[in-house]
């Protein structure tokens, strides 16, 4: 009996000891890092385990994804620092001038972000090993360094990839590149739930992951930020320093310390015989990346790229003949992560000193950006500024002079009540980056777009002033309190913004019949432009409590209703005019799947669900050719590559449906499938032979890439002319600034409507090669070609690009609900 009791005591003691012991990832998970892809929930469990068993770690949840997975971060430092963590955090903000008071911090803050692209999955595996190594083997670095680890920025994408891979992989894994496990199905694990690329959303914060992460980021403002990625299977490893172009606000210190970090990494890689490269491909210009955004907020921002990506799986044979394994990939990321912490720990004084200097902004040319426009657009912009905790105010100055964005030259603006965003604030350099008229380029070969100027993106008139414009700090608030007017003929609401469109969509969802005017008119003392919404008693007699429903929805959307006792206009059309048309409660189909861009489809999906809040039916390309299109009023074709998919039979089917009253909206490269085909009134613009380079073969090999930029447009902003009388342009004036992502060019429609177009190309911001510019002479941007009772809408430039080009969204809504509104569904 004593022997049994003793045995029980030993077993119990061992189990208790095991449960209380900090476990390595391998001990906790039951497999070595790299042997499997770890599901997100298991990653969370491991970080919780570490926090429960170490006084050097605290673990926090900062939000949830669209699919309800937690977004988390761990804070790692010495026990003493953890106990003093709030003072360390505040001292850092004081050092930057963001929080009140003065401080001389003695602690570096390093933020490591993993798995922003879901199928670049080795980094989350590395995150688990990295935290364990830091608190068990590298504790000396933590005496003067705080490390923040976000183990998975994109849990929805990661689990989409990991779950798929775990389902299809062979056992043992197959290294053949053609094996199923190395070929993800559409849309892949890279994007988030709405198929957005979260690594291009830092500045625009359109996604819940970005919005919630920025709240935490702004409370810390780290000195060093690393974004861990993967690239093609045949590239080894990329780390800092970055490639040109560097944005001009990047300081010499930020450049130099990237090089120091890179050399420290190289020391470890050389010792192991691991290949790497630096200073290629990944530049520091576009502000919405996980390396550039932190850089423009004062950090040393870097991208680390490991070979692998979604193709690599647990192991794959590369083109050079060696086997690339997940174990190797995770080890490399662990090594650079630890190396980053090491060199930060060795340079704390310089990091904190230079960090403070970054926030001195007296040498910036433009001191204030002054913006005017529709209240909704100003409000949308201030909402963005609030996300970044950028300060702003409103002016009382009558006339403000400077660089006029709309005219692309010196000019002035009426500043009474204008929004003012100045650079005399800690985040002044980020203000410059977001608002500057045209970013300087040391090299036109960039990894992303070269223009993003906020005034053009939001459709606002703006002045960049070299003077500091006085402004108060009060944000304008909108108070709307519409009341029922049941004795009147109806209600009128103006049409200027995407908020007006959301109001209309909500009315339609509540079965309220809504009209829009194709002509200007006056009613009472108020003037109304084309597109104004008219909600009549006559149309809604059968709807119980119609007045109350309309008023409640208007108040919900902060829309001002103009009540009228009569449908008789003072000037222009009456409510019963044929030019005042009922808006159809459109049944909308959106193409998705193979041949479509997942990013473009995601932009459309997100727009309808999160902004317009209007239902769509997504139809996969796997069965699209078999469906009955007559069930739908509108077919939206995202950017994609349809020439190999839409054969003549299917195009004829689409044309027949359009002729009977259907509407196709083709976006970006989807337009090309209709070009030069009979019956579609769309032809490509081709450069003449005399414009083509006849000596191309004489260009030296090492100059080919640079020479080719003459054909490129790398995300440049162009001034276009607009026909504001066309329903698709209601809410716009005669000018629109369009973000052009490539050099595709189409001639003016011969029989259709050229709604937005370029005559003589004028790039106001960003890079456009000289030959690409020539090819844009007399080119279409937005157009409508009518076929029978229906239409095809050509949107050569994508108005929903990354959901940040706010001023394009109303064109898209107009195309759906206003353009060729001849088919009304009873």
């Amino acid at each position: 009996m004593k022997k049994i009791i003793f045995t029980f005591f030993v077993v119990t003691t061992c189990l208790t000891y095991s449960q209380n012991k900090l476990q390595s990832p391998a001990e906790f998970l039951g497999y070595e890092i790299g042997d499997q892809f770890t599901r997100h929930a298991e990653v969370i469990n491991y970080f919780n385990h570490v926090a429960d068993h170490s006084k050097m770690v605290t673990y926090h949840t900062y939000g949830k994804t669209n699919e309800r997975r937690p977004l988390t971060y761990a804070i790692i430092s010495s026990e003493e620092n953890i106990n003093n963590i709030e003072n360390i955090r505040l001292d850092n903000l004081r050092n930057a001038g963001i929080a009140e008071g003065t401080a001389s911090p003695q602690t570096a803050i390093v933020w490591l972000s993993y798995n922003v692209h879901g199928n670049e999955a080795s980094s989350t595996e590395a995150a688990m090993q990295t935290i364990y190594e830091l608190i068990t083997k590298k504790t000396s670095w933590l005496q003067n360094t705080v490390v923040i680890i976000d183990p998975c920025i994109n849990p929805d994408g990661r689990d989409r990839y990991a779950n798929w891979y775990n389902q299809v992989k062979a056992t043992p894994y197959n290294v053949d590149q053609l094996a199923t496990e190395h070929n993800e199905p559409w849309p892949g694990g890279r994007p988030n739930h709405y198929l957005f690329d979260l690594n291009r959303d830092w500045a625009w914060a359109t996604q819940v992951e970005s919005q919630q992460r920025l709240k935490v980021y702004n409370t810390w403002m780290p000195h060093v930020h690393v974004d861990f990625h993967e690239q093609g299977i045949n590239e080894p490893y990329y780390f800092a320093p970055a490639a040109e172009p560097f944005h001009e606000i990047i300081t010499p210190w930020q450049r130099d310390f990237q090089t120091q970090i890179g050399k420290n990494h190289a020391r470890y890689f050389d010792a192991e015989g691991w290949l790497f490269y630096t200073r290629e491909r990944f530049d520091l210009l576009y502000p919405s990346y996980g390396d550039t955004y932190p850089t423009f907020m004062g950090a040393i921002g870097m991208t680390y790229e490991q070979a692998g990506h979604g193709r690599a799986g647990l192991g794959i044979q590369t083109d050079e003949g060696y086997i690339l394994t997940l174990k190797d990939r995770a080890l490399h990321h662990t090594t650079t992560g630890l190396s980053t912490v090491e060199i930060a720990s060795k340079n704390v004084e310089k990091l904190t000193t230079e960090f403070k200097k970054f926030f001195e902004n007296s040498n910036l040319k433009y001191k204030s950006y002054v913006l005017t426009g529709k209240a909704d657009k100003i409000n949308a912009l201030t909402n963005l500024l609030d996300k970044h905790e950028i300060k702003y105010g409103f002016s009382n100055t009558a006339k403000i002079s400077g660089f006029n964005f709309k005219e692309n030259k010196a000019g002035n603006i009426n500043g009474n009540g204008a929004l003012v965003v100045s650079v005399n604030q800690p985040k002044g350099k980020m203000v410059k980056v977001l608002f500057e008229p045209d970013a300087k380029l040391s090299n036109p070969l960039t990894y992303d777009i070269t223009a993003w100027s906020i005034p053009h993106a939001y459709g606002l008139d703006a002045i960049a002033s070299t003077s500091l414009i006085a402004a108060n700090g009060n944000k304008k608030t909108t108070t709307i309190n519409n009341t029922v007017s049941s004795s009147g003929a109806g209600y009128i609401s103006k049409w200027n913004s995407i908020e007006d469109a959301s109001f209309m969509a909500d009315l339609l969802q509540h079965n309220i019949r809504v009209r829009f005017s194709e002509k200007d008119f006056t009613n009472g003392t108020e003037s109304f432009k084309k597109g104004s919404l008219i909600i009549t008693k006559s149309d809604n007699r059968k709807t119980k409590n119609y007045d109350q429903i309309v008023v409640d929805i208007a108040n919900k959307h902060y829309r001002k209703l103009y009540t009228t006792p009569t449908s008789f206009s003072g000037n222009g059309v009456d409510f019963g005019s044929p030019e005042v048309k009922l808006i159809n409660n459109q049944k909308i189909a959106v193409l998705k799947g193979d041949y479509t861009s997942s990013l473009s489809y995601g932009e459309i999906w997100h727009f309808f669900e999160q902004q317009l809040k209007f239902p769509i039916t997504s139809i996969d390309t796997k069965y699209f050719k078999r469906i009955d299109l007559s069930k739908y009023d509108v077919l939206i074709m995202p950017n994609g590559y349809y020439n190999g998919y839409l054969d003549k039979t299917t195009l004829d089917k689409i044309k027949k449906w359009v002729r009977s009253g259907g509407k196709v909206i083709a976006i970006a490269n989807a337009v090309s499938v209709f070009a030069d085909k009979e019956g579609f009134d769309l032809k490509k613009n081709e450069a003449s032979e005399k414009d083509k380079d006849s000596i191309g073969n004489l260009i030296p090999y090492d100059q080919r890439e640079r020479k080719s930029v003459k054909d490129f447009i790398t995300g440049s902003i162009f001034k276009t002319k607009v026909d504001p009388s066309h329903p698709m342009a209601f809410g716009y004036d005669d000018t629109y600034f369009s973000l052009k992502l490539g050099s595709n060019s189409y001639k003016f429609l011969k029989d259709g409507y050229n709604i937005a177009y370029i005559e003589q190309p004028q790039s106001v911001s960003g890079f456009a090669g000289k030959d690409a510019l020539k090819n844009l002479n007399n080119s279409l941007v937005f157009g409508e070609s009518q076929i029978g009772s229906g239409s095809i809408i050509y949107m050569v430039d994508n108005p929903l690009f990354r959901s940040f080009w706010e001023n394009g969204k109303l064109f898209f809504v107009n195309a759906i609900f206003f353009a060729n509104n001849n088919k009304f569904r009873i």
Side-chain angles (χ1 to χ4, degrees), residues 599-618:
L599 296 173
S600 180
Y601 167 75
E603 291 158 3
I604 295 165
W605 180 21
H606 179 264
F607 176 75
F608 278 104
E609 285 196 358
Q610 295 297 320
Q611 288 189 272
L612 199 62
K613 300 191 186 303
F614 194 84
I616 58 173
T617 299
S618 296

Side-chain angles (χ1 to χ4, degrees), residues 582-629:
L582 275 170
I583 299 173
N584 190 28
N585 196 346
Q586 302 282 49
K587 290 189 177 296
I588 302 168
V590 181
L591 206 56
K592 67 180 286 285
D594 295 340
Y595 304 97
T596 69
S597 160
S598 61
L599 296 173
S600 180
Y601 167 75
E603 291 158 3
I604 295 165
W605 180 21
H606 179 264
F607 176 75
F608 278 104
E609 285 196 358
Q610 295 297 320
Q611 288 189 272
L612 199 62
K613 300 191 186 303
F614 194 84
I616 58 173
T617 299
S618 296
I619 298 176
D620 201 283
T621 52
K622 289 183 175 64
Y623 56 85
F624 168 74
K625 293 180 180 181
R626 304 193 301 269
I627 71 165
D628 179 5
L629 278 173

Side-chain angles (χ1 to χ4, degrees), residues 295-563:
T295 298
F296 302 159
M297 288 290 198
I300 310 300
M302 296 169 292
T303 287
Y304 297 168
E305 297 267 357
Q306 162 64 47
H309 207 269
R311 290 195 65 201
L314 294 179
I316 192 170
Q317 185 167 21
T318 68
D319 291 351
E320 294 184 347
Y322 68 88
I323 306 300
L324 174 66
T325 68
L326 179 59
K327 282 189 174 182
D328 291 335
R329 293 149 59 198
L331 177 58
H332 297 164
H333 270 331
T334 302
T335 301
T336 55
L338 293 173
S339 171
T340 302
V341 176
E342 176 188 30
I343 195 165
S345 176
K346 291 178 178 178
N347 291 272
V348 172
E349 182 178 357
K350 190 68 172 174
L351 276 169
T352 56
T353 301
E354 293 295 333
F355 187 70
K356 181 177 183 177
K357 289 180 183 178
F358 181 88
F359 296 96
E360 299 169 1
N361 301 313
S362 59
N363 63 337
L364 297 178
K365 175 182 176 181
Y366 293 120
K367 307 301 182 186
S368 298
Y369 298 90
V370 185
L371 304 101
T372 63
K374 302 296 183 184
D376 286 339
K377 294 180 179 181
I378 293 290
N379 190 55
L381 175 52
T382 58
N383 287 340
L384 177 68
L385 298 175
D386 288 341
K387 291 174 184 175
H388 299 298
E389 299 184 10
I390 291 173
K391 300 173 184 177
Y392 53 85
F394 295 89
S395 167
N396 293 317
T397 306
K399 182 180 178 181
I400 299 172
S401 300
F403 178 85
N404 186 300
F405 282 74
K406 188 172 183 179
E407 301 302 326
N408 204 35
K409 61 182 181 181
N412 55 70
I413 201 170
N414 182 350
N416 279 324
L419 174 67
V420 180
V421 189
S422 298
V423 301
N424 67 325
Q425 59 177 301
K427 295 178 181 178
K429 288 190 173 70
M430 179 59 86
V431 170
K432 170 187 165 54
V433 171
L434 294 177
F435 285 84
E436 62 190 341
D438 197 12
K440 289 183 180 179
L441 282 172
S442 61
N443 183 348
L445 291 170
T446 65
Y447 198 67
D448 212 286
I449 62 176
T450 55
W452 50 82
S453 184
I454 286 285
H456 296 314
Y458 280 74
L460 296 165
D461 292 337
I463 288 286
S465 174
T466 55
S467 300
L468 186 62
I469 305 301
N472 65 58
N474 298 323
K475 183 173 182 177
K476 295 182 179 179
T477 56
T478 303
T479 56
I480 296 293
N481 186 26
N482 298 296
T483 57
V484 168
S485 179
S486 56
S487 62
Y491 303 90
I492 309 170
S493 182
K494 295 185 177 182
W495 186 260
N496 295 306
S497 69
I498 201 64
E499 283 72 22
D500 296 320
S502 296
F503 168 53
M504 175 205 67
D506 206 351
L507 290 171
L508 295 177
Q509 287 294 284
H510 284 82
N511 297 313
I512 298 297
R513 286 190 161 198
V514 185
R515 293 179 181 267
F516 74 100
S517 175
E518 288 196 339
K519 300 290 184 183
D520 297 344
F521 67 98
T522 61
N523 193 286
T525 60
E526 194 71 28
S527 296
F528 298 93
K529 295 287 188 181
K530 300 175 183 68
S532 294
L533 304 178
I534 300 172
I535 310 145
T536 72
K537 178 190 294 183
S538 176
D539 287 327
N540 293 283
R541 287 185 180 278
K542 295 181 180 179
T543 302
K544 187 178 180 181
N545 298 324
Y546 127 82
D547 290 280
Q548 191 64 56
I549 293 171
V550 171
V551 167
D552 288 348
I553 294 174
N555 289 338
K556 170 186 169 184
H557 290 272
Y558 302 100
R559 298 301 94 188
K560 179 176 175 57
L561 291 177
Y562 296 86
T563 60

Side-chain angles (χ1 to χ4, degrees), residues 107-167:
T107 309
I109 300 172
V110 177
W111 187 307
L112 306 177
S113 290
Y114 298 87
N115 224 155
V116 66
H117 293 147
N119 61 358
E120 299 176 12
S122 67
S123 67
T124 290
E125 309 296 338
M128 292 186 283
Q129 190 65 36
T130 300
I131 191 173
Y132 180 73
E133 296 279 334
L134 282 171
I135 62 177
T136 57
K137 300 178 182 178
K138 309 297 182 183
T139 55
S140 62
W141 300 344
L142 301 179
Q143 299 304 308
N144 63 356
T145 306
V146 172
V147 181
I148 298 172
I149 288 182
D150 185 334
C152 188
I153 290 178
N154 182 9
D156 292 349
R158 177 184 172 80
D159 268 4
R160 186 186 310 122
Y161 172 74
N163 291 341
W164 165 81
Y165 183 83
N166 290 336
Q167 289 168 3

